[in-house]
Amino acid sequence: MFDRLYKRQHAIARHQNGPLAEERRRYLAHCAEQQMSLVTLGHVARNTLIVARVLRLRDRPGELITRAEIVAEANRWVKRRRRGRKVQNVRRECRKFIGHAIRWLTFLGRLQAPAAVRRPYANLVAQFADYMLQERGLTPRTVAYSRQQIQAFLTEIEEADLRLKTVTGGQVNELLAKKIRARGYMRATVRRCAAAIRPFLRFAERHKWCRPGLADAIRTPRLYSHEGLPLGPSWDDVQRLIASAQREKPVDIRDRAMLLLLAVYGLRAGEVTALRLEDFDWEQEVLTVTLGKRRRPRTYPLCRPVGDAVLRYLREVRPRTDRREVFITVLAPFRPMHSATVGGMVSRRLHALGLTLPHYGSHVLRHACASHLLAQGLSLKEIGDHLGHQSPDTTRIYAKVDLATLRLVGDFALEGLL
């Protein structure tokens, strides 16, 4: 393996004679099976050799290594290199060392598993999560968010030396107020946290895990109807954003396809990353989006620019893999993209255009799509159907965004009607 990566004999000898040569060779073969390029394999080979030396693995056969030790040794190693003025970005070098060490030691079975964290009422949270998935039909992402908020709430109850069985509404509200003061949460954030906790408490009341009426006793700050405007970039800026990805690099070809799906159809980032190859019917020119907040499928006509961008990505860029998800990471190991990665991509490209926006995530393209459809004269019902809204109230907020039409209404002469 080493002679495939290096041409110079001294480089080959350094890796062959270094500590744990056989273990490093097996790990490189494992990485090669995941279709990593030779350049990436070279980085892996250099960094695993560094890890073996810094952690003195040859002198500690079979010993498990903790994450804390990896982090400490990474910091010491980077500081030594920094004194020799070889390191410019200390944080990045530390992250790189830690990442390579954890992946290699995990492969070898020599990474110490972290101590299990005791989570109070974990069995109750698990039962409620199953209820949300199986009976309410919520998406795994929604359930994961609710589970996180509920577990944090129950942990705070435990830390306050209280018990779920006896806690009162006043004590719950005091815990929420304490969280607001300590973390400076916005009103919408507090209301969202309470919205995740209330269904669990109602579930707990039915199972007699807590006092009756506890869910209704939670007080939240008031939010006014349509209080915030869903502001996004103008459609001209959206077109500039899409044009910024019109290059020949593989990552630009992939990003352009995703940007078009986000902007033209107003899809959420999670809906884009969940798209599968069978969702595109190329003969009928139809796109089916099967993931939403309620997992109800939506069907769209596949417009030519979007279809061409996706086809180019599939033919020229997408790695050869058994995965059925459409959008895959460019570098090996190939895996489906995460919605947070899509949001980060949109944010970087919007910042690169020099735009000033309240938010920069992928959801602003959904707002831009709705505003553009409204400006084109589509009704709120049609826009709601396009975006997959279940309630017309969700779409109605975009009427406030159409400021030009609102000004026409405001300037309408009423003298002849009175």
Side-chain angles (χ1 to χ4, degrees):
M1 177 60 73
F2 297 130
D3 53 1
R4 287 180 53 197
L5 300 178
Y6 302 101
K7 295 181 179 179
R8 297 181 180 180
Q9 290 301 316
H10 73 274
I12 298 174
R14 182 172 67 248
H15 284 273
Q16 288 178 339
N17 299 327
L20 278 67
E22 181 57 32
E23 288 84 346
R24 288 185 286 112
R25 189 180 292 108
R26 284 194 290 109
Y27 181 59
L28 286 172
H30 166 73
C31 294
E33 290 175 357
Q34 300 183 55
Q35 299 177 294
M36 290 188 182
S37 66
L38 289 178
V39 174
T40 304
L41 290 174
H43 289 305
V44 173
R46 284 191 295 274
N47 284 281
T48 49
L49 179 59
I50 291 171
V51 169
R53 287 173 173 168
V54 172
L55 296 178
R56 304 176 302 281
L57 297 180
R58 176 186 285 168
D59 304 328
R60 309 161 64 184
E63 183 179 339
L64 296 179
I65 311 299
T66 65
R67 292 174 183 260
E69 181 182 354
I70 293 172
V71 173
E73 292 295 341
N75 287 315
R76 278 194 286 269
W77 174 72
V78 171
K79 286 180 181 178
R80 289 197 300 269
R81 294 189 66 205
R82 194 179 184 186
R83 284 198 292 269
R85 297 183 179 180
K86 296 181 180 179
V87 179
Q88 293 181 348
N89 193 322
V90 174
R91 185 175 297 177
R92 184 177 62 191
E93 289 296 314
C94 279
R95 285 200 304 265
K96 185 167 66 174
F97 181 97
I98 294 168
H100 282 285
I102 288 176
R103 287 190 290 272
W104 183 37
L105 293 173
T106 300
F107 173 78
L108 295 178
R110 293 189 56 182
L111 183 67
Q112 177 71 58
V117 178
R118 179 185 172 273
R119 298 185 181 275
Y121 307 104
N123 58 329
L124 307 186
V125 178
Q127 291 182 48
F128 181 65
D130 289 339
Y131 162 75
M132 288 191 289
L133 281 171
Q134 304 300 328
E135 298 191 31
R136 295 189 61 190
L138 300 180
T139 64
R141 186 176 179 181
T142 302
V143 173
Y145 172 79
S146 298
R147 191 168 186 165
Q148 178 186 12
Q149 296 297 326
I150 295 165
Q151 191 64 69
F153 165 70
L154 294 174
T155 301
E156 289 166 0
I157 287 179
E158 187 85 359
E159 291 174 350
D161 200 22
L162 301 172
R163 297 293 178 269
L164 179 62
K165 186 73 174 178
T166 58
V167 70
T168 65
Q171 291 170 328
V172 171
N173 286 320
E174 179 58 32
L175 288 174
L176 290 174
K178 183 179 179 181
K179 180 185 292 188
I180 296 169
R181 292 192 297 267
R183 303 185 184 181
Y185 281 174
M186 297 177 63
R187 287 180 298 143
T189 305
V190 178
R191 195 176 184 90
R192 192 160 57 245
C193 292
I197 295 169
R198 276 202 190 99
F200 169 76
L201 292 179
R202 292 194 178 98
F203 186 80
E205 289 173 17
R206 291 200 299 271
H207 289 76
K208 299 182 179 180
W209 297 340
C210 65
R211 293 183 175 185
L214 188 60
D216 295 331
I218 296 179
R219 297 195 304 269
T220 56
R222 182 175 180 180
L223 295 181
Y224 298 95
S225 179
H226 306 329
E227 180 177 342
L229 288 174
L231 299 177
S234 67
W235 197 247
D236 289 338
D237 289 333
V238 171
Q239 291 177 317
R240 287 174 55 208
L241 176 69
I242 296 171
S244 70
Q246 202 163 3
R247 301 170 185 166
E248 298 303 316
K249 291 183 178 180
V251 68
D252 289 315
I253 295 173
R254 183 197 64 190
D255 289 356
R256 186 170 186 272
M258 290 193 295
L259 289 171
L260 282 167
L261 288 166
L262 291 167
V264 173
Y265 297 110
L267 301 184
R268 303 176 181 91
E271 292 170 338
V272 171
T273 56
L275 285 173
R276 299 174 66 84
L277 295 175
E278 53 267 26
D279 292 333
F280 288 85
D281 186 340
W282 301 105
E283 293 184 359
Q284 301 297 324
E285 297 186 348
V286 168
L287 167 64
T288 301
V289 180
T290 56
L291 178 66
K293 288 188 176 181
R294 292 283 179 177
R295 292 189 285 188
R296 295 177 180 173
R298 308 196 303 274
T299 303
Y300 298 96
L302 187 58
C303 63
R304 181 58 62 86
V306 178
D308 290 345
V310 174
L311 268 178
R312 186 186 181 192
Y313 161 72
L314 293 175
R315 289 170 175 169
E316 301 179 16
V317 175
R318 188 179 184 272
R320 294 182 180 179
T321 173
D322 295 334
R323 303 295 308 222
R324 300 299 296 172
E325 290 85 1
V326 174
F327 294 103
I328 305 294
T329 56
V330 174
L331 299 177
F334 302 122
R335 57 198 182 279
M337 294 189 64
H338 193 276
S339 57
T341 306
V342 178
M345 176 272 292
V346 175
S347 177
R348 286 192 302 273
R349 291 185 178 276
L350 287 172
H351 277 100
L353 294 178
L355 301 180
T356 302
L357 299 170
H359 305 284
Y360 290 86
S362 59
H363 218 70
V364 299
L365 298 183
R366 183 174 171 87
H367 298 325
C369 172
S371 300
H372 177 64
L373 294 177
L374 187 64
Q376 295 298 308
L378 273 72
S379 67
L380 293 179
K381 174 66 168 61
E382 292 170 322
I383 296 172
D385 291 341
H386 185 79
L387 297 179
H389 289 163
Q390 302 298 319
S391 170
D393 293 335
T394 309
T395 315
R396 193 172 297 130
I397 191 171
Y398 290 104
K400 292 181 66 177
V401 183
D402 192 6
L403 299 179
T405 302
L406 289 177
R407 288 192 181 97
L408 291 177
V409 173
D411 294 338
F412 185 73
L414 300 176
E415 289 82 359
L417 301 177
L418 299 177

